[in-house]
Amino acid sequence: MVDDNSKKTLSAIPLLKTKAGPRDKDLWPQRLKEEYQSLIQYVQHNKKTDNDWFRLESNKDGTRWFGKCWFIFNLLKYEFDVEFDIPVTFPLTAPEIALPELDGKTAKMYRGGKICLSDHFKPLWGRNVPKFGIAHAMALGLGPWLAVEVPDLIDKGIVKYKEKMDPDVEK
């Protein structure tokens, strides 16, 4: 069952129409266009609601995605690299989102820093093919994972706050 907050988030992300993956040379550009539009709308919604928490970009083909995600905990910003490849069976198969620097630091992660989404997100994705896309994976997959795992990792001392140096301030 999806909670009210998730429903509200979902309502801000457009559903996709084109059922195509990277191997579908004719339809993939249309699907990729829908993915970008959905992501842009989701990021704009997040900024309006003061919930901006990730940046993504892709390679030219839209098959490899990378960027940053962050989580605010006790007024401190914890930032992580995020990356994933679009599976060849996409959109039937959801992307496996990875946070490489957290690899091996939690049981809810697979080799290579891929976060565990099998219990909660993947069944939801499966019921919503081809309507769900990358923005949905971020909102319903990575977002909730960060909210549960990062505070626990911080409390256990596994993840530590890294202070950013201001380049304008001399040492």
Short mmCIF file of all heavy atoms in Angstrom, two decimals, residues 16 18 20 27-38 58-63 65 86 134:
data_model
loop_
_atom_site.label_atom_id
_atom_site.label_comp_id
_atom_site.label_asym_id
_atom_site.label_seq_id
_atom_site.Cartn_x
_atom_site.Cartn_y
_atom_site.Cartn_z
N LEU A 16 4.85 7.88 -17.89
CA LEU A 16 5.40 7.74 -19.24
C LEU A 16 4.51 6.84 -20.08
O LEU A 16 3.75 6.03 -19.54
CB LEU A 16 6.82 7.20 -19.15
CG LEU A 16 7.81 8.20 -18.55
CD1 LEU A 16 7.78 8.23 -17.05
CD2 LEU A 16 9.20 7.92 -19.02
N THR A 18 5.65 5.59 -23.61
CA THR A 18 6.37 4.77 -24.59
C THR A 18 7.03 3.58 -23.91
O THR A 18 7.83 3.74 -22.99
CB THR A 18 7.43 5.62 -25.31
OG1 THR A 18 6.79 6.77 -25.86
CG2 THR A 18 8.10 4.83 -26.42
N ALA A 20 9.63 1.34 -24.38
CA ALA A 20 10.84 1.13 -25.18
C ALA A 20 12.07 1.17 -24.30
O ALA A 20 12.12 1.91 -23.32
CB ALA A 20 10.95 2.19 -26.27
N LEU A 27 12.08 3.64 -31.06
CA LEU A 27 11.27 4.23 -30.00
C LEU A 27 12.06 4.77 -28.81
O LEU A 27 11.53 5.54 -28.02
CB LEU A 27 10.24 3.21 -29.51
CG LEU A 27 9.14 2.83 -30.51
CD1 LEU A 27 8.26 1.73 -29.94
CD2 LEU A 27 8.31 4.05 -30.87
N TRP A 28 13.32 4.34 -28.65
CA TRP A 28 14.12 4.77 -27.50
C TRP A 28 14.25 6.29 -27.42
O TRP A 28 14.12 6.86 -26.33
CB TRP A 28 15.48 4.08 -27.49
CG TRP A 28 16.37 4.52 -26.36
CD1 TRP A 28 17.58 5.12 -26.46
CD2 TRP A 28 16.12 4.42 -24.95
NE1 TRP A 28 18.11 5.38 -25.22
CE2 TRP A 28 17.22 4.96 -24.27
CE3 TRP A 28 15.06 3.92 -24.20
CZ2 TRP A 28 17.31 5.04 -22.89
CZ3 TRP A 28 15.14 3.98 -22.81
CH2 TRP A 28 16.25 4.53 -22.16
N PRO A 29 14.50 7.01 -28.53
CA PRO A 29 14.58 8.47 -28.41
C PRO A 29 13.30 9.10 -27.85
O PRO A 29 13.38 10.05 -27.06
CB PRO A 29 14.85 8.94 -29.86
CG PRO A 29 15.52 7.77 -30.50
CD PRO A 29 14.86 6.56 -29.89
N GLN A 30 12.15 8.57 -28.21
CA GLN A 30 10.88 9.09 -27.67
C GLN A 30 10.78 8.79 -26.17
O GLN A 30 10.40 9.66 -25.38
CB GLN A 30 9.68 8.47 -28.42
CG GLN A 30 8.33 8.87 -27.86
CD GLN A 30 8.08 10.37 -27.86
OE1 GLN A 30 8.54 11.09 -28.75
NE2 GLN A 30 7.37 10.86 -26.85
N ARG A 31 11.14 7.58 -25.77
CA ARG A 31 11.11 7.22 -24.35
C ARG A 31 12.09 8.10 -23.57
O ARG A 31 11.76 8.59 -22.48
CB ARG A 31 11.46 5.74 -24.17
CG ARG A 31 11.61 5.27 -22.72
CD ARG A 31 10.30 5.35 -21.96
NE ARG A 31 10.47 5.02 -20.56
CZ ARG A 31 9.61 4.32 -19.84
NH1 ARG A 31 8.50 3.87 -20.37
NH2 ARG A 31 9.84 4.07 -18.58
N LEU A 32 13.27 8.31 -24.11
CA LEU A 32 14.28 9.14 -23.45
C LEU A 32 13.77 10.57 -23.27
O LEU A 32 13.97 11.18 -22.22
CB LEU A 32 15.58 9.10 -24.25
CG LEU A 32 16.84 9.55 -23.55
CD1 LEU A 32 17.06 8.81 -22.24
CD2 LEU A 32 18.04 9.35 -24.47
N LYS A 33 13.10 11.09 -24.27
CA LYS A 33 12.50 12.43 -24.18
C LYS A 33 11.48 12.47 -23.04
O LYS A 33 11.47 13.41 -22.24
CB LYS A 33 11.84 12.78 -25.50
CG LYS A 33 11.22 14.16 -25.54
CD LYS A 33 10.59 14.43 -26.90
CE LYS A 33 9.87 15.76 -26.91
NZ LYS A 33 9.21 16.01 -28.19
N GLU A 34 10.65 11.45 -22.93
CA GLU A 34 9.66 11.37 -21.84
C GLU A 34 10.37 11.29 -20.48
O GLU A 34 9.92 11.89 -19.51
CB GLU A 34 8.75 10.15 -22.03
CG GLU A 34 7.81 10.25 -23.20
CD GLU A 34 7.00 8.99 -23.42
OE1 GLU A 34 6.83 8.19 -22.47
OE2 GLU A 34 6.52 8.80 -24.55
N GLU A 35 11.47 10.53 -20.41
CA GLU A 35 12.23 10.41 -19.17
C GLU A 35 12.76 11.77 -18.72
O GLU A 35 12.62 12.15 -17.55
CB GLU A 35 13.41 9.43 -19.34
CG GLU A 35 13.03 7.99 -19.53
CD GLU A 35 12.55 7.29 -18.27
OE1 GLU A 35 12.52 7.89 -17.17
OE2 GLU A 35 12.18 6.12 -18.38
N TYR A 36 13.36 12.51 -19.65
CA TYR A 36 13.88 13.83 -19.32
C TYR A 36 12.76 14.77 -18.87
O TYR A 36 12.91 15.50 -17.89
CB TYR A 36 14.62 14.45 -20.51
CG TYR A 36 16.04 13.99 -20.66
CD1 TYR A 36 16.45 13.28 -21.79
CD2 TYR A 36 17.00 14.26 -19.69
CE1 TYR A 36 17.76 12.86 -21.93
CE2 TYR A 36 18.31 13.84 -19.83
CZ TYR A 36 18.69 13.14 -20.95
OH TYR A 36 19.98 12.71 -21.09
N GLN A 37 11.64 14.76 -19.58
CA GLN A 37 10.53 15.64 -19.21
C GLN A 37 10.01 15.30 -17.82
O GLN A 37 9.72 16.19 -17.01
CB GLN A 37 9.40 15.53 -20.24
CG GLN A 37 9.75 16.15 -21.57
CD GLN A 37 8.75 15.83 -22.67
OE1 GLN A 37 8.05 14.82 -22.65
NE2 GLN A 37 8.69 16.71 -23.67
N SER A 38 9.91 14.02 -17.52
CA SER A 38 9.45 13.57 -16.21
C SER A 38 10.42 13.98 -15.11
O SER A 38 10.02 14.48 -14.06
CB SER A 38 9.27 12.04 -16.25
OG SER A 38 8.83 11.55 -15.03
N SER A 58 23.04 12.18 -18.02
CA SER A 58 23.27 10.90 -18.68
C SER A 58 24.30 11.04 -19.77
O SER A 58 24.65 12.15 -20.20
CB SER A 58 21.96 10.37 -19.29
OG SER A 58 21.63 11.09 -20.46
N ASN A 59 24.76 9.89 -20.25
CA ASN A 59 25.61 9.91 -21.42
C ASN A 59 24.73 10.25 -22.63
O ASN A 59 23.52 10.40 -22.51
CB ASN A 59 26.34 8.57 -21.59
CG ASN A 59 25.41 7.40 -21.87
OD1 ASN A 59 24.18 7.54 -21.94
ND2 ASN A 59 25.98 6.23 -22.03
N LYS A 60 25.34 10.38 -23.78
CA LYS A 60 24.64 10.81 -24.99
C LYS A 60 23.47 9.88 -25.36
O LYS A 60 22.42 10.34 -25.81
CB LYS A 60 25.64 10.89 -26.14
CG LYS A 60 25.10 11.47 -27.43
CD LYS A 60 26.17 11.62 -28.49
CE LYS A 60 26.58 10.31 -29.04
NZ LYS A 60 26.26 9.83 -30.29
N ASP A 61 23.65 8.59 -25.13
CA ASP A 61 22.62 7.60 -25.49
C ASP A 61 21.53 7.45 -24.44
O ASP A 61 20.55 6.75 -24.68
CB ASP A 61 23.27 6.23 -25.73
CG ASP A 61 24.32 6.26 -26.82
OD1 ASP A 61 24.18 7.08 -27.75
OD2 ASP A 61 25.27 5.46 -26.73
N GLY A 62 21.74 8.03 -23.26
CA GLY A 62 20.76 7.88 -22.18
C GLY A 62 20.77 6.51 -21.55
O GLY A 62 19.81 6.11 -20.90
N THR A 63 21.88 5.78 -21.70
CA THR A 63 21.95 4.43 -21.15
C THR A 63 22.74 4.38 -19.84
O THR A 63 22.65 3.40 -19.11
CB THR A 63 22.61 3.46 -22.16
OG1 THR A 63 23.89 3.99 -22.54
CG2 THR A 63 21.73 3.30 -23.39
N TRP A 65 23.58 6.75 -16.38
CA TRP A 65 23.19 7.95 -15.62
C TRP A 65 24.10 8.10 -14.41
O TRP A 65 24.51 7.11 -13.80
CB TRP A 65 21.73 7.82 -15.19
CG TRP A 65 20.79 7.87 -16.35
CD1 TRP A 65 20.54 6.87 -17.26
CD2 TRP A 65 20.00 8.98 -16.76
NE1 TRP A 65 19.64 7.31 -18.19
CE2 TRP A 65 19.29 8.59 -17.91
CE3 TRP A 65 19.82 10.26 -16.26
CZ2 TRP A 65 18.40 9.44 -18.57
CZ3 TRP A 65 18.94 11.12 -16.91
CH2 TRP A 65 18.25 10.69 -18.05
N ILE A 86 20.87 1.85 -17.61
CA ILE A 86 19.52 1.44 -18.01
C ILE A 86 19.63 -0.01 -18.47
O ILE A 86 20.40 -0.31 -19.39
CB ILE A 86 18.97 2.34 -19.14
CG1 ILE A 86 18.86 3.79 -18.67
CG2 ILE A 86 17.64 1.82 -19.65
CD1 ILE A 86 17.87 4.04 -17.55
N ILE A 134 12.65 6.80 -14.65
CA ILE A 134 13.78 7.14 -13.79
C ILE A 134 13.35 8.02 -12.62
O ILE A 134 13.77 7.81 -11.48
CB ILE A 134 14.90 7.81 -14.61
CG1 ILE A 134 15.46 6.79 -15.62
CG2 ILE A 134 15.99 8.36 -13.72
CD1 ILE A 134 16.32 7.39 -16.70
#
